[in-house]
């Protein structure tokens, strides 16, 4: 299905769509469908958010390949399949309040905003925080609030959250994040692994105060550095 054509009217402001990049984005979405991504709101977001604007200028031609890319400061933008898969596993609905840890390039943030979520996203590195804040503002995304700090502490003053997504890998789920998840119908997703850069997606679901945990496949993320993460980069 050609999602790019179906949803062109919902493009974010100033998307700078070049025809060849649009075609590549459409091809990326077709590949996501082929690999099993089925949720319409995820495919809609992936087909309309211009990933090439979230990568370094020199890498724009590679933006729609299914690969992570460097974004500077030793960090990466996650590969499109990983972003789509995490967005599906999170089971988001329009209007949900989402806490994201690890803003990075802001691409995953933009995908969730395009799906209608209200997001607080926390980034540890000042330079990335500033750069991404400027970009998301320029692109005109709404419902996003960026913060700089140690995301393993969460954002207690804005809790509880319907959804919490951690886009860096840590040794265990940070306690403060568990505490800040909505007890009635909350989902938290995070790459967890006892070794650095080798993790498994862990999905925590809280329903009426009861917590269940599910493993959702292996993955590789940069390290979550902080009080409840790895102590050193
Ligand atoms: N989702 C991002 C994207 O779409 O570009 C990719 C995130 S990148 C894989 C992981 C990010 O987590 C990095 O920008 C890193 O600086 C950040 N990070 C690591 N530990 C953190 C912490 N304790 N709090 C907030 N951000 C953290």
């Amino acid at each position: 299905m050609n999602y790019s054509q179906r949803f062109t009217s919902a493009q974010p402001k100033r998307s700078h769509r070049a025809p060849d990049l649009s075609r590549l984005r459409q091809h990326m979405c077709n590949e996501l469908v082929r690999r099993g991504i089925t949720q319409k709101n995820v495919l809609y977001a992936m087909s309309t958010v211009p990933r090439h604007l979230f990568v370094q200028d020199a890498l724009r031609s590679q933006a729609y390949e299914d690969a992570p890319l460097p974004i500077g400061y030793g960090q990466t933008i996650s590969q499109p399949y990983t972003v789509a898969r995490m967005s599906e596993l999170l089971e988001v609905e329009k209007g949900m309040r989402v806490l994201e840890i690890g803003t990075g390039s802001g691409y995953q943030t933009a995908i969730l905003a395009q799906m209608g979520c209200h997001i607080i996203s926390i980034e540890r590195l000042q330079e990335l925080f500033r750069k991404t804040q400027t970009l998301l503002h320029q692109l005109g995304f709404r419902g996003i609030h960026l913060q700089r700090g140690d995301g393993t502490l969460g954002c207690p003053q804005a809790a509880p959250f319907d959804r919490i997504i951690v886009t860096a890998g840590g040794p265990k789920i940070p306690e403060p994040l568990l505490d800040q998840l909505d007890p009635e119908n909350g989902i938290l997703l995070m790459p967890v692994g006892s070794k650095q850069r080798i993790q498994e997606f862990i999905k925590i679901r809280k329903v009426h105060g009861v917590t269940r945990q599910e493993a959702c496949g292996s993955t590789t993320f940069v390290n979550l550095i902080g009080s409840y993460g790895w102590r050193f980069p």
Side-chain angles (χ1 to χ4, degrees), residues 90-102:
L90 216 50
E91 301 177 30
V92 300
E93 289 165 26
K94 245 185 185 153
M96 279 187 164
R97 287 162 43 77
V98 179
L99 175 67
E100 180 190 40
I101 311 305

PDB file of all heavy atoms in Angstrom, residues 90-102:
ATOM      1  N   LEU A  90       4.364  -0.303  21.708  1.00  0.00           N
ATOM      2  CA  LEU A  90       3.900   0.662  22.707  1.00  0.00           C
ATOM      3  C   LEU A  90       2.371   0.801  22.723  1.00  0.00           C
ATOM      4  O   LEU A  90       1.812   1.315  23.686  1.00  0.00           O
ATOM      5  CB  LEU A  90       4.558   2.018  22.413  1.00  0.00           C
ATOM      6  CG  LEU A  90       4.955   2.901  23.581  1.00  0.00           C
ATOM      7  CD1 LEU A  90       5.766   2.174  24.633  1.00  0.00           C
ATOM      8  CD2 LEU A  90       5.702   4.134  23.083  1.00  0.00           C
ATOM      9  N   GLU A  91       1.718   0.325  21.645  1.00  0.00           N
ATOM     10  CA  GLU A  91       0.239   0.336  21.572  1.00  0.00           C
ATOM     11  C   GLU A  91      -0.328   1.719  21.907  1.00  0.00           C
ATOM     12  O   GLU A  91      -1.205   1.857  22.763  1.00  0.00           O
ATOM     13  CB  GLU A  91      -0.358  -0.713  22.527  1.00  0.00           C
ATOM     14  CG  GLU A  91       0.097  -2.130  22.228  1.00  0.00           C
ATOM     15  CD  GLU A  91      -0.467  -3.140  23.236  1.00  0.00           C
ATOM     16  OE1 GLU A  91      -1.563  -2.922  23.773  1.00  0.00           O
ATOM     17  OE2 GLU A  91       0.210  -4.168  23.467  1.00  0.00           O
ATOM     18  N   VAL A  92       0.162   2.739  21.202  1.00  0.00           N
ATOM     19  CA  VAL A  92      -0.292   4.095  21.534  1.00  0.00           C
ATOM     20  C   VAL A  92      -1.608   4.433  20.859  1.00  0.00           C
ATOM     21  O   VAL A  92      -1.943   3.900  19.796  1.00  0.00           O
ATOM     22  CB  VAL A  92       0.759   5.181  21.182  1.00  0.00           C
ATOM     23  CG1 VAL A  92       2.044   4.964  21.935  1.00  0.00           C
ATOM     24  CG2 VAL A  92       0.998   5.279  19.701  1.00  0.00           C
ATOM     25  N   GLU A  93      -2.345   5.300  21.520  1.00  0.00           N
ATOM     26  CA  GLU A  93      -3.582   5.851  20.953  1.00  0.00           C
ATOM     27  C   GLU A  93      -3.478   7.359  21.008  1.00  0.00           C
ATOM     28  O   GLU A  93      -2.775   7.912  21.856  1.00  0.00           O
ATOM     29  CB  GLU A  93      -4.791   5.388  21.767  1.00  0.00           C
ATOM     30  CG  GLU A  93      -5.089   3.914  21.588  1.00  0.00           C
ATOM     31  CD  GLU A  93      -6.045   3.391  22.656  1.00  0.00           C
ATOM     32  OE1 GLU A  93      -6.827   4.198  23.204  1.00  0.00           O
ATOM     33  OE2 GLU A  93      -5.984   2.189  22.945  1.00  0.00           O
ATOM     34  N   LYS A  94      -4.224   8.006  20.118  1.00  0.00           N
ATOM     35  CA  LYS A  94      -4.251   9.469  20.080  1.00  0.00           C
ATOM     36  C   LYS A  94      -4.521  10.045  21.457  1.00  0.00           C
ATOM     37  O   LYS A  94      -5.394   9.546  22.177  1.00  0.00           O
ATOM     38  CB  LYS A  94      -5.373   9.925  19.146  1.00  0.00           C
ATOM     39  CG  LYS A  94      -4.883  10.648  17.947  1.00  0.00           C
ATOM     40  CD  LYS A  94      -6.033  11.175  17.135  1.00  0.00           C
ATOM     41  CE  LYS A  94      -5.441  11.780  15.880  1.00  0.00           C
ATOM     42  NZ  LYS A  94      -6.313  11.775  14.778  1.00  0.00           N
ATOM     43  N   GLY A  95      -3.791  11.103  21.812  1.00  0.00           N
ATOM     44  CA  GLY A  95      -4.062  11.808  23.064  1.00  0.00           C
ATOM     45  C   GLY A  95      -3.327  11.235  24.267  1.00  0.00           C
ATOM     46  O   GLY A  95      -3.407  11.798  25.359  1.00  0.00           O
ATOM     47  N   MET A  96      -2.608  10.114  24.080  1.00  0.00           N
ATOM     48  CA  MET A  96      -1.905   9.520  25.227  1.00  0.00           C
ATOM     49  C   MET A  96      -0.723  10.389  25.664  1.00  0.00           C
ATOM     50  O   MET A  96      -0.096  11.057  24.847  1.00  0.00           O
ATOM     51  CB  MET A  96      -1.398   8.116  24.878  1.00  0.00           C
ATOM     52  CG  MET A  96      -2.469   7.066  24.985  1.00  0.00           C
ATOM     53  SD  MET A  96      -1.791   5.418  24.774  1.00  0.00           S
ATOM     54  CE  MET A  96      -3.147   4.456  25.434  1.00  0.00           C
ATOM     55  N   ARG A  97      -0.421  10.300  26.951  1.00  0.00           N
ATOM     56  CA  ARG A  97       0.721  11.029  27.512  1.00  0.00           C
ATOM     57  C   ARG A  97       1.917  10.071  27.558  1.00  0.00           C
ATOM     58  O   ARG A  97       1.850   9.023  28.210  1.00  0.00           O
ATOM     59  CB  ARG A  97       0.386  11.517  28.914  1.00  0.00           C
ATOM     60  CG  ARG A  97      -0.601  12.695  28.918  1.00  0.00           C
ATOM     61  CD  ARG A  97      -1.243  12.877  30.262  1.00  0.00           C
ATOM     62  NE  ARG A  97      -0.299  12.761  31.374  1.00  0.00           N
ATOM     63  CZ  ARG A  97       0.557  13.714  31.740  1.00  0.00           C
ATOM     64  NH1 ARG A  97       0.567  14.858  31.109  1.00  0.00           N
ATOM     65  NH2 ARG A  97       1.385  13.529  32.743  1.00  0.00           N
ATOM     66  N   VAL A  98       2.968  10.451  26.836  1.00  0.00           N
ATOM     67  CA  VAL A  98       4.126   9.558  26.680  1.00  0.00           C
ATOM     68  C   VAL A  98       5.371  10.221  27.251  1.00  0.00           C
ATOM     69  O   VAL A  98       5.622  11.404  27.002  1.00  0.00           O
ATOM     70  CB  VAL A  98       4.365   9.229  25.186  1.00  0.00           C
ATOM     71  CG1 VAL A  98       5.586   8.332  25.017  1.00  0.00           C
ATOM     72  CG2 VAL A  98       3.135   8.574  24.566  1.00  0.00           C
ATOM     73  N   LEU A  99       6.144   9.436  28.000  1.00  0.00           N
ATOM     74  CA  LEU A  99       7.467   9.881  28.444  1.00  0.00           C
ATOM     75  C   LEU A  99       8.500   9.117  27.627  1.00  0.00           C
ATOM     76  O   LEU A  99       8.457   7.882  27.585  1.00  0.00           O
ATOM     77  CB  LEU A  99       7.654   9.587  29.939  1.00  0.00           C
ATOM     78  CG  LEU A  99       9.050   9.891  30.505  1.00  0.00           C
ATOM     79  CD1 LEU A  99       9.339  11.395  30.482  1.00  0.00           C
ATOM     80  CD2 LEU A  99       9.178   9.366  31.946  1.00  0.00           C
ATOM     81  N   GLU A 100       9.391   9.843  26.963  1.00  0.00           N
ATOM     82  CA  GLU A 100      10.471   9.199  26.194  1.00  0.00           C
ATOM     83  C   GLU A 100      11.810   9.543  26.849  1.00  0.00           C
ATOM     84  O   GLU A 100      12.063  10.707  27.148  1.00  0.00           O
ATOM     85  CB  GLU A 100      10.477   9.717  24.746  1.00  0.00           C
ATOM     86  CG  GLU A 100      11.590   9.078  23.920  1.00  0.00           C
ATOM     87  CD  GLU A 100      11.785   9.727  22.547  1.00  0.00           C
ATOM     88  OE1 GLU A 100      11.712  10.974  22.462  1.00  0.00           O
ATOM     89  OE2 GLU A 100      12.031   9.001  21.577  1.00  0.00           O
ATOM     90  N   ILE A 101      12.635   8.516  27.016  1.00  0.00           N
ATOM     91  CA  ILE A 101      13.981   8.739  27.561  1.00  0.00           C
ATOM     92  C   ILE A 101      14.979   8.495  26.436  1.00  0.00           C
ATOM     93  O   ILE A 101      15.030   7.394  25.877  1.00  0.00           O
ATOM     94  CB  ILE A 101      14.284   7.766  28.742  1.00  0.00           C
ATOM     95  CG1 ILE A 101      13.135   7.756  29.768  1.00  0.00           C
ATOM     96  CG2 ILE A 101      15.622   8.121  29.375  1.00  0.00           C
ATOM     97  CD1 ILE A 101      12.756   9.101  30.324  1.00  0.00           C
ATOM     98  N   GLY A 102      15.784   9.513  26.126  1.00  0.00           N
ATOM     99  CA  GLY A 102      16.766   9.410  25.039  1.00  0.00           C
ATOM    100  C   GLY A 102      16.238  10.034  23.759  1.00  0.00           C
ATOM    101  O   GLY A 102      15.957   9.339  22.785  1.00  0.00           O
TER     102      GLY A 102
END
